[in-house]
Amino acid sequence: MALTDNLLAGLRTLVGPENVLTTYEDLIPYSFDGTAVLQQMPGCVVFPKATAQVAAVLKLANRAKAAVVTRGSGTGLSGGSLPSPDCLLLCLVKIDRILELDRANLTMLVEAGATTQAISNAAAAAGLFYPPDPGSMKISTIGGNVAENSGGLRGLKYGVTRNYVMGLKVVLPDGEVLWTGNKCVKDVAGYSLRDLFIGSEGTLGVITRVLLKLIPKPAAKKTLVATFAQMDQAAQTVSDIIAAPIIPCTLEFLDRTTIRCVEDYAKIGLPLDCEALLLMETDGHPAVVEQEAMKMVEIARRNGCTEVRVAQDDAEATKLATARRTAFSALARVAPTTILEDATVPRSELAKMIRFIEGVAKKHKLRIGTFGHMGDGNLHPTCLTDERNLEEMHRVEEAFREIFDETIRLGGTITGEHGIGVAKKAFLPKFAGDAQMRVMRELRRILDPNGILNPGKLMDASVTTGV
Ligand SMILES: Cc1cc2nc3c(=O)[nH]c(=O)nc-3n(C[C@H](O)[C@H](O)[C@H](O)COP(=O)(O)OP(=O)(O)OC[C@H]3O[C@@H](n4cnc5c(N)ncnc54)[C@H](O)[C@@H]3O)c2cc1C
């Protein structure tokens, strides 16, 4: 349903006419997020500048039963901030201040539109550390990170966004403002509503402030890259490192297709005749870091790596880490459409899953490069295709259906960090089952009885799974 002139006039009064976009040309950049193939025009884009304005906008939209899609920077990879037709797109990037850094409590209070990089920089400037580092951190917002419960390269040792959220200010769909959480390290008073909003993908409320936990900055770090002629050698190396027991801050993987694309793009000098590459980083006390790095070299060699390089200084470490950090961009150059997926399995099933993805690519005659967070079991099979080729797109769809069926069969999850959005909606009932789907639907209905927030995302309002 198109937004009415009355509603648009009301929005202009609330946030100022300069903060409401309605022309076709202005709306185009907000008609998609980072997810391939999906595009939909919103009815308008609104830029609030304070929580009170978000509350007033939601009150107005709720009264008019107008669809509202919240957006941070639009880097999401499951279509979470893709507009629903003619919706009000609420873009939070102008609410982006870092409000407080509390050294005594090791917390930082930020507004939802602050970028992850700005938060990381502010923590580092105070000699502290905010670990979550999604590959998109230069532009992704903390609101988007919380709404997706984003991970990053350091997830294995330091956890994901959820592990650093101590409090949230959330505007509910009817405009009521709720604060959940505080600076206490321990707090078991009532249900943890904070955890309900983390990962809720803009379907339960609009986050406007986040209270984050900070930790001391590790004193030292060492970066290593090992290459392997066979995938199983890399998988065994990961298992042996964890069993050692060493928990590196980074344990990332690239397959042959990705290594070739990265080398072509970044010219790092990676060997092209290998089947797998592992990027390994350890951080902490200098003596422990030295010891762990030596042990990881030994484990990689014991498993028959063709080469292992240890960075001698920060510049070399950055160069080696580039191999992983540029993986998505390097693959994206190869074909007009890049479909990046997010299959996650228990670590013990990694080699099996990687082989399965290779088999599926061969069977459907597709180019799929796989990279990802090997230490977390979180793989990103990435299909290099062309959305204009409908016959090939049909094969892509079939291939990913088989990949996700196998992921579930191996005890894995259909998304480790990118969320459900619209891209995975069809797989959620099979993964979650009837009882979870019913509880999630009822929670959503209680918080948003008019169904205005991110309609059509994550789940349909009344569908049984039939599983
Ligand atoms: C190159 C690249 C690398 C990436 N690497 C990673 C990675 O390593 N790890 C990872 O987890 N993800 C990664 N992503 C995915 C993406 O960057 C994350 O999901 C990120 O958290 C999205 O932030 P955003 O500000 O762009 O949110 P958007 O894309 O704008 O929104 C994402 C979702 O959050 C909701 N939302 C946004 N802001 C709010 C708010 N204030 N209140 C309530 N809901 C809100 C939206 O409605 C939507 O459902 C990557 C993406 C790209 C393009």
Side-chain angles (χ1 to χ4, degrees), residues 70 72-76 80-81 135-136 141 144-145 147-148 150-151 201 207 328 417:
T70 310
S73 293
T75 65
S81 59
S136 52
T141 64
N145 291 174
E148 295 286 6
S150 296
E201 302 190 23
I207 299 154
F328 182 39
E417 55 183 18

Side-chain angles (χ1 to χ4, degrees), residues 1-4 7-8 10-12 14-15 19-22 27 30 41-48 53-54 56-62 64-71 81-92 206 452-455:
M1 191 176 63
L3 300 174
T4 62
L7 181 69
L8 289 172
L11 291 170
R12 289 189 183 103
L14 289 176
V15 298
N19 289 311
V20 181
L21 305 180
T22 52
L27 298 183
Y30 299 92
M41 292 298 279
C44 73
V45 181
V46 176
F47 297 95
Q53 288 187 349
V54 174
V57 167
L58 284 186
K59 216 173 265 179
L60 198 65
N62 195 45
K65 298 199 168 75
V68 177
V69 174
T70 310
R71 179 182 170 105
S81 59
L82 178 81
S84 46
D86 290 322
C87 73
L88 186 169
L89 193 84
L90 191 64
C91 187
L92 277 273
V206 179
I452 64 162
L453 280 189
N454 231 349

